[in-house]
Amino acid sequence: MGKDVIVACDFASAEQVFAFLDRFTGEKKPFVKIGMELYYAQGPAIVREIKARGHKIFLDLKLHDIPNTVKKAMSVLRDLDVDICNLHAAGTKAMMEAALEGLTRPDGTRPRLIAVTQLTSTDQTSMETELLIPQPIDEVVLHYAKNARDAGLDGVVCSPLEAGKVHDVCGAQFLTVTPGVRFAGGDVGDQKRIMTPEQAKAIGSDYIVVGRPITAAEDPVAAYERCVREFVD
Ligand code: C5P
């Protein structure tokens, strides 16, 4: 898998997703992120339907439970034939290793598995006062990324601002999947630490996850193509 733009399809209903995806009539079908909202509302059928339309899929369910439960859940997800799925690195290396076992098919193939390090909604204060983690958040993110790499995972979800450091510490092959992307001069919305597609490319992100700059654009296909031009081409 090379560099690509993943479109966060944060819609509440199947109708809305399909109305959105129907706009993409060109040869290149966007790589699609399906999150909890859509998955819990529509179930695995939505994954199969989008896959059948020829899209690659990042299933963003962020699993976090005891190793045995995560292993079993992953063995269900592997049969959905998604391209990337994820979990929380905070679940420990044992959980991540169990997840990989569950995800691996009898023929040895499996979807890519990436880890969430610290959610971007968690800040230094909440880490220190609620989670009782005193270290600087950047160090925690890199340490969790190393744990994920040591457990055999393929990469992490991180801010594009962290992608360079993650590659330095975990190697160039370790994937960085980065949300928080906005066009130059575009609406920032609730994202705080942002980069343009060009900047994300320059710093070495492997995949950018882009939602509203594409889904809420007047011309989503043009916005998607702009993203691909700036990030991939
Ligand atoms: O609309 P926007 O481009 O902000 O969407 C970004 C997507 O990436 C959303 O689906 C959001 O939940 C997800 N995400 C994020 N920040 C993270 C992890 C995931 O924005 N740290």
Side-chain angles (χ1 to χ4, degrees):
M1 289 206 262
K3 274 188 188 302
D4 209 348
V5 173
I6 301 179
V7 182
C9 282
D10 295 323
F11 298 105
S13 73
E15 291 70 35
Q16 284 172 298
V17 182
F18 292 131
F20 172 74
L21 294 178
D22 281 345
R23 291 167 172 268
F24 294 85
T25 53
E27 225 168 83
K28 184 165 165 47
K29 303 273 182 192
F31 202 131
V32 164
K33 179 171 92 75
I34 300 175
M36 288 186 204
E37 183 186 3
L38 187 61
Y39 188 80
Y40 291 147
Q42 303 294 328
I46 192 79
V47 177
R48 293 194 192 96
E49 283 174 52
I50 294 175
K51 190 83 197 172
R53 285 168 168 241
H55 298 270
K56 286 187 174 169
I57 295 178
F58 168 20
L59 188 57
D60 180 19
L61 298 181
K62 301 187 179 73
L63 276 70
H64 188 172
D65 208 317
I66 59 170
N68 186 54
T69 300
V70 170
K71 178 179 169 180
K72 288 182 172 168
M74 286 293 182
S75 71
V76 175
L77 296 185
R78 80 181 187 205
D79 294 331
L80 284 179
D81 199 22
V82 297
D83 298 277
I84 304 178
C85 53
N86 64 355
L87 44 61
H88 275 282
T92 74
K93 283 194 225 174
M95 188 200 80
M96 293 191 266
E97 285 162 2
L100 274 180
E101 258 180 62
L103 207 55
T104 305
R105 304 182 185 101
D107 66 2
T109 63
R110 62 167 175 80
R112 301 282 185 108
L113 182 61
I114 62 176
V116 175
T117 53
Q118 279 293 346
L119 292 169
T120 42
S121 51
T122 306
D123 62 11
Q124 189 70 42
T125 307
S126 49
M127 252 182 28
E128 284 175 17
T129 60
E130 291 180 42
L131 307 180
L132 298 185
I133 302 172
Q135 279 82 2
I137 194 158
D138 298 8
E139 263 178 44
V140 175
V141 165
L142 286 177
H143 184 69
Y144 282 21
K146 270 192 274 180
N147 287 348
R149 183 206 53 194
D150 293 349
L153 267 67
D154 303 295
V156 286
V157 183
C158 62
S159 154
L161 297 153
E162 291 155 359
K165 267 194 205 154
V166 169
H167 279 140
D168 289 347
V169 170
C170 298
Q173 302 307 314
F174 195 68
L175 298 176
T176 52
V177 178
T178 63
V181 173
R182 291 293 179 265
F183 290 121
D187 189 4
V188 171
D190 53 0
Q191 292 285 9
K192 291 201 176 76
R193 302 163 69 220
I194 55 164
M195 271 197 184
T196 65
E198 277 166 324
Q199 289 168 328
K201 177 182 182 175
I203 205 161
S205 289
D206 296 292
Y207 294 89
I208 50 174
V209 177
V210 188
R212 289 159 292 178
I214 294 174
T215 55
E218 220 165 277
D219 184 344
V221 176
Y224 170 71
E225 285 170 353
R226 177 179 173 191
C227 239
V228 171
R229 250 190 340 267
E230 293 183 6
F231 180 70
V232 184
D233 295 343

